[in-house]
C-alpha cells in the first residue's frame, strides 16, 4: 500500500442549502504530484479550504500522515438541512485551525494571490519562518535570540535565491509583476518547511512561457524539497504533463480519477469539462 | 537616489539627541520661567506614549480599538491611589474615607507606574478574550463600550472608598523634573519599537496585511492579537499613570471618550504604521492647540475689533487646519514610513525642485 500523506474521506461541505462539495474522497501519496480539476464552481477551492482548516466540513474526515486533522458531522441547524450522504458515519469533532495545520506540514498558496502586499519580498518569506521560532516575546524583543534571528534570515535569503527572487528582496511585494508574485507566494509557503504543498491555480494568468517555467519549477520543488504536491489547475497542458494522478470534480462530486490518459479518455470528463477536440487534431 | 553615508547619519542622530537633552536640561534649570512650555512638552511626551501604543495596535496589527481612555484611567487611578502621601489622604477622601487595606499602602512612583501598566494589561487581557474575536468597526465599538464601563465603574458610589467616586483624586506628587517624563516616555517608546522590529512585530504586520494568509503561514491569530492588545494596554496604562502625575488631580471625567479621540487624531495625523509620525504628531497637536490661543483673545486692529476673535475660536481654526492636513496628507504626515535623514534630504530636494519649476522662465510654465 502506498504511503498516504493526505486523505479526505467522505468530505461534504454544505453552505446553507447548497452542497459545495459532495462526499469527496481522495488521497495523495508521498512524492506524487496530484491535480484536482473541474469546471468553475465545482468546489475545488472549497475542498482545499476544508483540507487546510479554513472551513469545517459538514460531514467527513481529513487526515494527514495518518493523523485526523479535521473531522465533523452534521450538528445543530445542519442536522435537519443536511443533504449529503454518510450521515452518522462520523461521530467525532476534530477542528485544527489553519495555523496548527500549517505547523503539521501543509502549506498552501491562494487562488487570488494573498501576499503581504505592503511588506518587502524578504519580509514576506521571513514572516513564514516566525512559527518555528523558539524564543518568546521577551527574548525576541530584547534581541537575545539574535542567533535564531540570523538563522531565520539566512534561510529566507537562501530560499529567495532558490526561487530566483534574490535580487528583488527589498522590493515591496505588491509591486512585483504577476508571475513573480505567484513565485513569491510559493516561496513563502515553502518557508514554513512543509511536506505537502497545496497550489491553488499556480498558472492562472500566466503566459505560455511562464507556464513552461512553472512546470520545471514544480518538478524542481518536488525533488529539492522532497515535497508532495496537490494542485488545482485549469491549464490542461500543464496538468496532463505534470500530474501523476488527476481527480475530476463536477458540481461537488468526484466524477473521475486516474492517470492523465485515463482521465483524458473518460467520457464523463469530456462531457463535463474537457470538451471535444476540433476536427483534424 | 539621494542618500547619506551611515556615518553622517549617526553623527546627525547623536547631535539631535544631544540638542533635545540640552534643551530639556536648560528648561529644567529655568523651571519658573518656562513652566508653561514645560507643561506642554510633558503633556506631549505622555501623549506620544499612548499614541505609539495605539499605533502598535491599530497601525501595526490592524486592530481598530477605541478603549484608550479606559485603560489610561486604570493606570492613572492605580498610580494616584498608591502614591498620594498617607498624611494627605484624609484630605482627599474627606467624604467617605479610604478603605482600610489601602489606607497605609504607599508605593514609590516607579513601582506604582509599573503596577498601573500591569493592571491595565490584566484588564486588557480579560476584555480581549471576548472582544478580539470581533473585526474592524465592531472591535472599535466593543472597546469603546468597555472603556466607558471602566470609567463608570471608577465613578460608581460602591467604589467610593477606593477611587473616591466622583470626587476624584488630588494631591498626587508631581514629577521631579521634565527629564523624568521624557526618560520614561523614551524608554516606553523604545521598547515598543523593539517589539515591532522583532519577529513578533512582523507577525503583527502580517495579520494587518491579510489575516487569512497570516493564519496559513502558521501564525496563531488569537494569540498574536492578544499579545499586541495586552502590550498596547500595558503602555496605555503607563501613560495614564504619567498623566495622573502630570495633572496631579484626576477624576473620572478626565478619561472620557474625547481623550481617546484626541489620541486617535494624533495617530491618524502622524500616519498609521509610523512610530515617528505618532511622536511628531503628538507634539504638534498638543503644542498647536496652545499656539492658536491668540485666536481666543479679542483682537483690535486700529480701533476696529475683529468680530470672530473670542473664546473657543481657536478650536474652529484648529479643526480647519486638521481638515487641510487630512485632505493634503491623506496617509498622515509620515504615511507608514519612519523618519530618516535620507527622507529629510529628499523632502528638501523636492521643495527646492518645486520652487525651481515655479520660477517663471525656467521651463515650468512652458509645458502648459
Amino acid at each position: 500500500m502506498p504511503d498516504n500523506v493526505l486523505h479526505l474521506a467522505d468530505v461534504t461541505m454544505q453552505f446553507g442549502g447548497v452542497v459545495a462539495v459532495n462526499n469527496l474522497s481522495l488521497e495523495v501519496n508521498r512524492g506524487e504530484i496530484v491535480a484536482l480539476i473541474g469546471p468553475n464552481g465545482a468546489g475545488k477551492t472549497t475542498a482545499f479550504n476544508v483540507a487546510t482548516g479554513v472551513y469545517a466540513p459538514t460531514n467527513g474526515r481529513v487526515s494527514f500522515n495518518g493523523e485526523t486533522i479535521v473531522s465533523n458531522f452534521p450538528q445543530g441547524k445542519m442536522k435537519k438541512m443536511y443533504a449529503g450522504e454518510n450521515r452518522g458515519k462520523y461521530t467525532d469533532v476534530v477542528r485544527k485551525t489553519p495555523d496548527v495545520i500549517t505547523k503539521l506540514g501543509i502549506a498552501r498558496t491562494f487562488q487570488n494571490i494573498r501576499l503581504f502586499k505592503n511588506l518587502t519580498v524578504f519580509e514576506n518569506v521571513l514572516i513564514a519562518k516566525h512559527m518555528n521560532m523558539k524564543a518568546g516575546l521577551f527574548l525576541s524583543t530584547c534581541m537575545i535570540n539574535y542567533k535564531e534571528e540570523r538563522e531565520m534570515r539566512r534561510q529566507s535569503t537562501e530560499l529567495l535565491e532558490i526561487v530566483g527572487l534574490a535580487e528583488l528582496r527589498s522590493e515591496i511585494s505588491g509591486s512585483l509583476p504577476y508571475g513573480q508574485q505567484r513565485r513569491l507566494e510559493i516561496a513563502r509557503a515553502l518557508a514554513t518547511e512543509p511536506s505537502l504543498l497545496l497550489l491553488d491555480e499556480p498558472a492562472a494568468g500566466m503566459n505560455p512561457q511562464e507556464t513552461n517555467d512553472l512546470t520545471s519549477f514544480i518538478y524542481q520543488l518536488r525533488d529539492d524539497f522532497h515535497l508532495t504536491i496537490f494542485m488545482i489547475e485549469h491549464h490542461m497542458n500543464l496538468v496532463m504533463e505534470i500530474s501523476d494522478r488527476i481527480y475530476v470534480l463536477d458540481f461537488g462530486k468526484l466524477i473521475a480519477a486516474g492517470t492523465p490518459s485515463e482521465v483524458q479518455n473518460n467520457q464523463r470528463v469530456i462531457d463535463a469539462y474537457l470538451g471535444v477536440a476540433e476536427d483534424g487534431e | 537616489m539621494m542618500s547619506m553615508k551611515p556615518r553622517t547619519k549617526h553623527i546627525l542622530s547623536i547631535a539631535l539627541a544631544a540638542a533635545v537633552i540640552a534643551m530639556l536640561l536648560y528648561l529644567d534649570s529655568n523651571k519658573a520661567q518656562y513652566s508653561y512650555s514645560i507643561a506642554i512638552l510633558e503633556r506631549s511626551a505622555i501623549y506620544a506614549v499612548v499614541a505609539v501604543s495605539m499605533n502598535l495596535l491599530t497601525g501595526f496589527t490592524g486592530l481598530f480599538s477605541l478603549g484608550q481612555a479606559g485603560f489610561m484611567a486604570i493606570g492613572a487611578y492605580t498610580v494616584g491611589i498608591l502614591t498620594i502621601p498617607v498624611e494627605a489622604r484624609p484630605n482627599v477622601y474627606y467624604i467617605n474615607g479610604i478603605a482600610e487595606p489601602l489606607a497605609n499602602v504607599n508605593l514609590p512612583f516607579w513601582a506604582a507606574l509599573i503596577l498601573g501598566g500591569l493592571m491595565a494589561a490584566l484588564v486588557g487581557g480579560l476584555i480581549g478574550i471576548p472582544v478580539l474575536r470581533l473585526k474592524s468597526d465592531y472591535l472599535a465599538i466593543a472597546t469603546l463600550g468597555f472603556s466607558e464601563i471602566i470609567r463608570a465603574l471608577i465613578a460608581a458610589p460602591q467604589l467610593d472608598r477606593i477611587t473616591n467616586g466622583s470626587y476624584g483624586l488630588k494631591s498626587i506628587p508631581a514629577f521631579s523634573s521634565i527629564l523624568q517624563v521624557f526618560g520614561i516616555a523614551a524608554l516606553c517608546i523604545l521598547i515598543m519599537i523593539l517589539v515591532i522590529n522583532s519577529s513578533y512585530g512582523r507577525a503583527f504586520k502580517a495579520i494587518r496585511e491579510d489575516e487569512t494568509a497570516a493564519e496559513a503561514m502558521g501564525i496563531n491569530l488569537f494569540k498574536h492579537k492578544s499579545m499586541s492588545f495586552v502590550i498596547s494596554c500595558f503602555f496605555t496604562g503607563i501613560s495614564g499613570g504619567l498623566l495622573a502625575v502630570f495633572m496631579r488631580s484626576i477624576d473620572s471625567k478626565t478619561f472620557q471618550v474625547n481623550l481617546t479621540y484626541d489620541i486617535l487624531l494624533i495617530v491618524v495625523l502622524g500616519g498609521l504604521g509610523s512610530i515617528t509620525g505618532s511622536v511628531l504628531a503628538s507634539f504638534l497637536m498638543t503644542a498647536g492647540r496652545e499656539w492658536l490661543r491668540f485666536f481666543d483673545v479679542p483682537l483690535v486692529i486700529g480701533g476696529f475689533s475683529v468680530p470672530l476673535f473670542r473664546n473657543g475660536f481657536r478650536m474652529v481654526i484648529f479643526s480647519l487646519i486638521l481638515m487641510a492636513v487630512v485632505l493634503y496628507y491623506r496617509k498622515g504626515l509620515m504615511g507608514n514610513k519612519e523618519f530618516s535623514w535620507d527622507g529629510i534630504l529628499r523632502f528638501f530636494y523636492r521643495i527646492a525642485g518645486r520652487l525651481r519649476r515655479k520660477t517663471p522662465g525656467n521651463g515650468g510654465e512652458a509645458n502648459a
Side-chain angles (χ1 to χ4, degrees), chain A:
Chain A
M1 193 182 146
D3 189 4
N4 208 215
V5 179
L6 182 72
H7 182 76
L8 268 67
D10 309 314
V11 167
T12 299
M13 183 74 231
Q14 185 174 343
F15 297 104
V18 180
V19 183
V21 174
N22 195 349
N23 208 34
L24 172 67
S25 292
L26 57 79
E27 41 200 56
V28 180
N29 301 319
R30 194 168 304 283
E32 273 187 321
I33 297 180
V34 177
L36 181 63
I37 63 172
N40 290 332
K44 304 181 296 290
T45 300
T46 308
F48 259 39
N49 282 339
V50 168
T52 52
V54 177
Y55 297 146
T58 318
N59 189 37
R61 186 199 308 276
V62 182
S63 33
F64 177 62
N65 287 333
E67 181 192 352
T68 303
I69 52 173
V70 173
S71 174
N72 201 4
F73 60 94
Q75 301 171 70
K77 254 197 322 195
M78 267 301 156
K79 239 179 195 167
K80 273 188 193 151
M81 290 169 69
Y82 186 59
E85 297 160 47
N86 287 313
R87 185 195 278 270
K89 188 171 172 185
Y90 299 93
T91 52
D92 55 336
V93 176
V94 179
R95 235 208 120 177
K96 292 210 169 27
T97 48
D99 57 294
V100 177
I101 291 174
T102 307
K103 277 183 191 140
L104 288 173
I106 303 183
R108 71 172 293 185
T109 64
F110 296 88
Q111 186 175 2
N112 44 346
I113 302 175
R114 280 177 174 272
L115 287 172
F116 305 125
K117 287 201 175 59
N118 291 318
L119 305 181
T120 64
V121 169
F122 184 62
E123 279 177 308
N124 264 277
V125 177
L126 198 53
I127 283 167
K129 288 273 168 214
H130 175 70
M131 67 171 206
N132 289 325
M133 215 174 72
K134 289 189 190 65
L137 179 64
F138 179 74
L139 291 183
S140 183
T141 300
C142 304
M143 297 197 279
I144 296 169
N145 69 333
Y146 66 98
K147 274 186 192 150
E148 193 180 22
E149 176 87 16
R150 203 190 302 152
E151 177 62 17
M152 279 162 67
R153 285 171 185 270
R154 192 191 60 75
Q155 286 174 357
S156 306
T157 310
E158 208 176 270
L159 204 57
L160 283 179
E161 275 161 13
I162 291 171
V163 300
L165 293 170
E167 66 274 27
L168 298 170
R169 55 180 283 155
S170 31
E171 295 287 318
I172 299 295
S173 63
S175 67
L176 293 184
Y178 197 76
Q180 283 173 340
Q181 290 199 11
R182 287 249 173 239
R183 215 165 243 259
L184 176 59
E185 213 188 14
I186 294 175
R188 190 180 67 174
L190 289 175
T192 64
E193 296 166 28
S195 56
L196 171 66
L197 182 61
L198 305 186
L199 301 173
D200 197 343
E201 298 203 23
M206 286 191 173
N207 61 32
Q209 175 58 40
E210 286 174 324
T211 312
N212 277 340
D213 292 347
L214 185 72
T215 312
S216 52
F217 183 52
I218 293 177
Y219 278 129
Q220 184 202 341
L221 290 182
R222 181 186 61 175
D223 299 338
D224 292 358
F225 293 89
H226 310 291
L227 286 175
T228 307
I229 292 172
F230 184 33
M231 63 178 196
I232 295 174
E233 191 44 74
H234 279 300
H235 270 251
M236 276 311 116
N237 295 340
L238 175 73
V239 170
M240 293 303 167
E241 187 186 337
I242 211 171
S243 315
D244 295 315
R245 287 186 302 117
I246 297 176
Y247 287 96
V248 190
L249 270 185
D250 190 27
F251 292 113
K253 273 189 105 70
L254 198 63
I255 57 169
T259 61
S261 57
E262 283 169 12
V263 166
Q264 242 168 336
N265 297 316
N266 185 315
Q267 194 54 44
R268 285 183 71 189
V269 179
I270 293 170
D271 291 344
Y273 183 48
L274 294 180
V276 186
E278 279 173 32
D279 287 339
E281 276 196 9

Side-chain angles (χ1 to χ4, degrees), chain B residues 119-139:
Chain B
M119 285 290 286
L122 180 75
V123 174
L126 289 177
I127 290 175
I129 295 169
V131 159
L132 288 176
R133 293 172 200 281
L134 303 171
K135 283 187 181 147
S136 64
D137 314 355
Y138 303 102
L139 175 64

